[in-house]
Amino acid sequence: MVYFILKRLIQSVFVMLAVAFLAFSLFRFVGDPITQMTGVETSVADQERLRDELGLNDPFVYQFARFTGDMLKGDFGFSYRTRQPVADMIASRIPATLELGVVALIISLFVGVPAGVYTALKPRGVLTQTILMTTLVGVSIPTFVIGIMLIFIFGVQLGWLPTFGRGGTVQVGGWETSLFTIDGWRALLLPAITLGVYQLTLTMRLVRAEMMEVMRSDYIRFAMARGVPMRSLHYKHALANTMVPVITIIGLQFGGVIAFSIVTESVFQWPGMGLLFLESIRFVDIPVMGVYLVVIAFFFVLVNLVVDLLYVAIDPRLRIRDVT
């Protein structure tokens, strides 16, 4: 197990370096931040002086080495737009994005897994066909359209839920959360449902396909011939083996929810990292854009490491394979 973890950690380091290099390289071509930081009254000499102070005239290799070296020391630099530390800006937005992603993932699991099991066990039922058609429509509609529809129905027409913002928040151990206030939950429901619809559909269809495959396997038929109760057969034996490949998708979904919450946060003006990234693109705030991509890559790497460890814990064959 120690060898397995060390191997994954070494791979993660190279992945993070590759992401940092790509982020730093691409953002050099999105525009000149000096033009966004200064006005038309700023002289060319002052612009060049500011460019020298920010190190933008240094060679690319030196800039990248300084960028990665500072990040390894925990120094993410300063925003070109606000002159605030990027670490503080990201840290203030992470709670909102994580809470949105976790609630969206929970919704997709609590609805998608039971729906997948039901549609697999009763493939020809009327309710199954209704669920499949509904989820097909849900996955075909873009996320921002779903968000706008929910805002129109529950925010504008019915007036039940707020349509923007995070609602009331409280400080819990230095973590600003909206999970302990009624206003926070009311503001969280619509964006979480919007973000969870696509993940729900993927979870349901994957569970359904895996469950149907497992139910056709020989050991399930042998257990049925032995008279194992159907409830135990479905939920103890078949579902347990079905969830093994689903774990990977769930892990990737969580990383995807965090990374691709940009559209949802923009529609609902949710004050998370995605909205901060959009604002940084608008003002060519290169330090914020670069650190954002590195943070998202870190989430993906961390989630994949956890998924690999869960795989090893669930399937003994992987432990034997890694040892040999």
Side-chain angles (χ1 to χ4, degrees):
M1 180 65 75
V2 175
Y3 170 75
F4 176 82
I5 295 176
L6 289 176
K7 184 171 67 174
R8 289 294 186 272
L9 287 176
I10 293 174
Q11 293 174 353
S12 301
V13 171
F14 283 104
V15 170
M16 294 299 298
L17 286 174
V19 171
F21 178 79
L22 290 175
F24 191 79
S25 302
L26 291 175
F27 291 147
R28 287 170 57 86
F29 303 100
V30 297
D32 186 6
I34 301 300
T35 60
Q36 298 292 332
M37 299 170 61
T38 59
V40 293
E41 70 279 358
T42 306
S43 65
V44 176
D46 289 337
Q47 291 183 7
E48 286 299 322
R49 179 181 55 80
L50 182 58
R51 189 173 280 108
D52 286 333
E53 291 178 358
L54 296 176
L56 298 178
N57 289 330
D58 296 334
F60 171 79
V61 176
Y62 182 75
Q63 291 187 47
F64 177 68
R66 184 175 56 207
F67 175 72
T68 54
D70 289 342
M71 284 201 302
L72 290 175
K73 294 184 294 186
D75 181 8
F76 297 103
F78 290 84
S79 167
Y80 289 164
R81 178 170 63 97
T82 64
R83 303 307 298 166
Q84 296 177 352
V86 177
D88 294 344
M89 297 175 65
I90 295 291
S92 65
R93 301 295 187 105
I94 283 180
T97 298
L98 285 181
E99 288 178 6
L100 177 61
V102 169
V103 174
L105 186 63
I106 290 175
I107 291 174
S108 68
L109 292 179
F110 273 80
V111 178
V113 173
V117 173
Y118 178 84
T119 55
L121 297 180
K122 300 182 182 296
R124 294 181 178 83
V126 177
L127 182 58
T128 295
Q129 300 305 316
T130 303
I131 292 174
L132 291 177
M133 287 190 295
T134 303
T135 55
L136 184 60
V137 173
V139 77
S140 302
I141 300 177
T143 302
F144 71 91
V145 175
I146 295 175
I148 293 173
M149 290 173 55
L150 292 178
I151 289 175
F152 179 75
I153 295 173
F154 295 101
V156 177
Q157 295 295 321
L158 299 177
W160 291 352
L161 298 171
T163 58
F164 66 92
R166 198 179 175 191
T169 60
V170 293
Q171 290 286 338
V172 179
W175 182 278
E176 185 180 7
T177 177
S178 58
L179 299 180
F180 295 100
T181 64
I182 296 177
D183 288 341
W185 273 105
R186 292 180 69 248
L188 180 61
L189 282 178
L190 289 185
I193 293 172
T194 301
L195 193 58
V197 165
Y198 184 75
Q199 314 299 328
L200 184 156
T201 303
L202 292 180
T203 301
M204 189 214 72
R205 290 186 173 272
L206 178 63
V207 171
R208 180 176 184 268
E210 292 293 333
M211 189 77 173
M212 294 178 70
E213 184 68 24
V214 170
M215 291 299 296
R216 290 193 294 263
S217 59
D218 293 336
Y219 80 92
I220 292 293
R221 295 177 179 176
F222 180 72
M224 294 174 62
R226 291 184 57 191
V228 176
M230 295 302 294
R231 185 178 183 86
S232 176
L233 189 68
H234 291 160
Y235 299 104
K236 183 178 179 181
H237 300 283
L239 184 59
N241 287 278
T242 297
M243 293 304 294
V244 173
V246 174
I247 290 175
T248 299
I249 300 301
I250 292 174
L252 294 177
Q253 278 184 347
F254 182 67
V257 163
I258 299 299
F260 304 121
S261 62
I262 297 177
V263 175
T264 302
E265 292 185 5
S266 177
V267 170
F268 291 92
Q269 288 299 292
W270 187 260
M273 293 193 299
L275 189 59
L276 176 64
F277 181 66
L278 289 179
E279 294 172 353
S280 66
I281 292 177
R282 177 184 175 187
F283 293 98
V284 198
D285 203 343
I286 296 176
V288 177
M289 291 189 288
V291 173
Y292 171 83
L293 286 190
V294 173
V295 170
I296 293 300
F298 175 77
F299 273 115
F300 269 104
V301 168
L302 182 62
V303 168
N304 279 304
L305 179 61
V306 173
V307 168
D308 289 338
L309 294 178
L310 288 175
Y311 257 5
V312 173
I314 293 174
D315 195 343
R317 294 172 298 179
L318 294 178
R319 293 197 293 269
I320 297 173
R321 188 183 308 165
D322 283 319
V323 172
T324 56

